Amino acid sequence: MLQKTFVKSKGAYKVKFTLKPEAAQSVEILGLNGDWDTSIPLAKKKDGSFSAEVILPKESQHSFKYRVDNTEWLNEEEADGQEPNEFGSTNSVLILT
């Protein structure tokens, strides 16, 4: 799940990423701001879901994926779109206007 909130004082968006994969131990986001090397870990909640809040610039577009337990790659079902990647699958697309 994606939740976008514009923060006027920062001129940027606070985006909350939430994912609830079955029996997962860790979830991280890769690809935001074009950075596929540095992951953003999501914190595990009591209900088994994972979430993180990230500040991202207004007027930007981001391709990303979730990586679950360092092995499984998942897309965001509520993303603004999907785009093909070089590995023959797709990445989620987040658009902030």
Side-chain angles (χ1 to χ4, degrees):
M1 180 176 84
L2 289 176
Q3 184 178 14
K4 305 175 201 175
T5 305
F6 184 68
V7 182
K8 209 175 206 180
S9 63
K10 295 186 179 192
Y13 279 88
K14 177 173 69 173
V15 182
K16 183 175 183 180
F17 296 85
T18 304
L19 187 69
K20 191 173 183 180
E22 288 189 34
Q25 298 302 310
S26 67
V27 177
E28 53 198 340
I29 305 168
L30 286 101
L32 295 177
N33 291 317
D35 187 352
W36 290 93
D37 295 321
T38 307
S39 66
I40 298 170
L42 279 70
K44 190 170 188 177
K45 306 295 181 188
K46 288 182 181 179
D47 68 357
S49 67
F50 291 79
S51 68
E53 290 184 349
V54 180
I55 300 293
L56 295 168
K58 183 179 176 185
E59 305 296 335
S60 63
Q61 180 171 315
H62 306 269
S63 294
F64 71 96
K65 282 185 99 88
Y66 296 109
R67 186 167 60 189
V68 179
D69 294 336
N70 286 317
T71 58
E72 183 181 7
W73 292 88
L74 299 176
N75 282 340
E76 171 58 62
E77 293 178 8
E78 296 181 13
D80 298 314
Q82 305 290 323
E83 65 181 12
N85 64 30
E86 62 192 71
F87 302 105
S89 65
T90 59
N91 295 332
S92 299
V93 177
L94 173 65
I95 300 170
L96 302 170
T97 56

